[in-house]
Amino acid sequence: MKVLRVHETLGDSDTYGGIDAGDAFLPHRDSRVKGPANVVPATAFWLTRARMADVPAPTSLGSHAVVVLSGEVRVDVRDRSPAVLTAGDLVFANVASPETLTMTWDGFAWLLYLALDDWLPEAGDNEARPDPAIRQGRPSLTWIYDDGGTSRTEPLRWPSDLAPVPPVEQWPRSLGAFVTRRDYGEDGYVPGVWHNGPRPQLGVTLNGRAENETGDGTVTSPVAGDIAYIDDVTGAGHVTRGLGDRWMLFVTIDPEHLRFVPEK
């Protein structure tokens, strides 16, 4: 799991001043610890499967994050060596000059954008234990919800076109985001307990692996880059079994800002 941070400072008269770029420390807590849901002040978000021409310029977004869900994304920062991001990697940025930061890829990439309300993480290294393999192909997108007391799993179908990415004002709103970590080891999936989602939220796997089982008997196996919309805030809940050094990004959904309808 790579976490990059790019912050451009401006000199007098809004001229180029300098770039603070490098690894970022993503604030996190143990997945078993309940705490605030807005450690990361994500104010809006957008999921996209996009060509390079379909996404906004970094300079138009202010402080923001991009989570790579699939593909190989090259990040070039002025006066720095390029980096290649894959599923589960993130870049946080706030830049004002078009030539400061560019992101390029072949064909399509699956990305999750977060608007961050003037927030960026501090510099540092999370020292995540790397995954043994990187998933190829599109991410798994699942919706976990309560159906009369029994949780169910269905494919997550974004309610509008994924691309081109619209202006931030049209993105679904968030109440904030937070990151969890738990190292389950590599000796097999660690048993979990049945539980409800504390609130409607997107759960993005950044590192490690899991099994999610819902009451209808469906078992999914998310890896880095996969997303679950956890919406079973009532009923019997679901169970998660972890494996590896598992990092999760949770984006809390502002009520009524992201709604899905079960398949018939």
Side-chain angles (χ1 to χ4, degrees):
M1 182 185 73
K2 296 178 184 176
V3 185
L4 305 181
R5 177 182 185 273
V6 183
H7 184 207
E8 181 180 12
T9 59
L10 296 177
D12 295 336
S13 302
D14 291 338
T15 59
Y16 169 69
I19 298 172
D20 177 13
D23 293 337
F25 181 82
L26 199 56
H28 60 277
R29 61 174 182 261
D30 188 287
S31 62
R32 294 163 291 189
V33 176
K34 305 303 179 184
N38 60 347
V39 175
V40 179
T43 58
F45 58 94
W46 190 267
L47 173 68
T48 185
R49 173 184 179 267
R51 298 183 186 273
M52 288 166 45
D54 293 329
V55 302
T59 54
S60 70
L61 296 175
S63 296
H64 68 282
V66 182
V67 187
V68 178
L69 306 178
S70 79
E72 290 190 353
V73 176
R74 175 179 165 128
V75 179
D76 286 279
V77 180
R78 178 165 40 182
D79 302 329
R80 299 294 193 277
S81 298
V84 176
L85 305 186
T86 57
D89 295 338
L90 308 91
V91 57
F92 292 82
N94 188 359
V95 297
S97 304
E99 64 273 17
T100 297
L101 170 67
T102 59
M103 299 174 61
T104 57
W105 58 89
D106 294 330
F108 293 91
W110 283 85
L111 307 169
L112 178 68
Y113 278 83
L114 303 175
L116 296 177
D117 194 22
D118 295 327
W119 183 89
L120 289 179
E122 298 297 326
D125 185 358
N126 288 282
E127 300 180 352
R129 194 156 50 80
D131 281 334
I134 298 174
R135 173 187 43 74
Q136 302 298 319
R138 63 161 289 163
S140 170
L141 310 174
T142 58
W143 175 30
I144 297 174
Y145 68 97
D146 175 36
D147 181 15
T150 299
S151 59
R152 298 194 179 277
T153 299
E154 287 190 9
L156 184 155
R157 305 188 188 283
W158 197 250
S160 57
D161 291 340
L162 295 167
V165 177
V168 173
E169 293 75 18
Q170 298 178 27
W171 298 3
R173 304 298 294 177
S174 165
L175 298 179
F178 62 99
V179 177
T180 64
R181 178 191 192 185
R182 184 177 175 187
D183 195 338
Y184 293 93
E186 300 290 346
D187 296 329
Y189 285 104
V190 175
V193 296
W194 289 86
H195 62 284
N196 295 105
R199 61 190 72 82
Q201 58 190 18
L202 291 177
V204 186
T205 302
L206 303 178
N207 202 68
R209 289 151 286 166
E211 287 183 346
N212 289 328
E213 181 177 354
T214 47
D216 61 355
T218 302
V219 177
T220 56
S221 300
V223 297
D226 292 342
I227 291 183
Y229 180 42
I230 303 166
D231 196 24
D232 60 336
V233 296
T234 58
H238 63 280
V239 63
T240 300
R241 307 176 185 98
L243 179 65
D245 187 9
R246 190 162 191 252
W247 292 71
M248 293 289 297
L249 168 68
F250 292 95
V251 181
T252 303
I253 309 303
D254 195 354
E256 305 302 320
H257 273 256
L258 189 66
R259 302 188 67 182
F260 299 100
V261 177
E263 294 183 342
K264 301 299 184 182

